[in-house]
Amino acid sequence: MPLLPAQLERMEYLLGKSQHTALTPTEQDELRRYVVVEQPQAQDVTFETLVTLGLIIVGAYLLYKYLESTA
């Protein structure tokens, strides 16, 4: 099941926030849920790996959105 636009936006926010300050445990869990929707095997990865995967997922979504808008 792909992420909903609101979930993707929230995931972007959490990833951005994680670059400047530590996320709360609740926010970390929320970010993990979003990443696991797209990559189920990410359930048990480290938080650093989770952030990397999240950035890749967001980048892929943005690229897809861009390509879709130019078609």
Side-chain angles (χ1 to χ4, degrees):
M1 174 177 100
L3 292 171
L4 299 172
Q7 292 172 319
L8 181 62
E9 187 175 308
R10 178 69 176 162
M11 188 166 121
E12 286 182 72
Y13 167 78
L14 291 170
L15 288 166
K17 182 178 178 184
S18 74
Q19 300 302 304
H20 302 287
T21 185
L23 297 181
T24 66
T26 302
E27 290 171 327
Q28 289 182 19
D29 290 343
E30 182 182 4
L31 180 57
R32 185 173 299 275
R33 281 193 313 271
Y34 295 143
V35 172
V36 168
V37 165
E38 293 294 328
Q39 294 293 317
Q41 67 273 23
Q43 182 63 42
D44 298 318
V45 300
T46 65
F47 184 70
E48 292 78 18
T49 301
L50 186 77
V51 168
T52 301
L53 288 170
L55 291 169
I56 292 168
I57 291 166
V58 167
Y61 267 92
L62 292 173
L63 181 60
Y64 175 79
K65 187 176 176 181
Y66 171 76
L67 292 173
E68 191 176 62
S69 72
T70 61

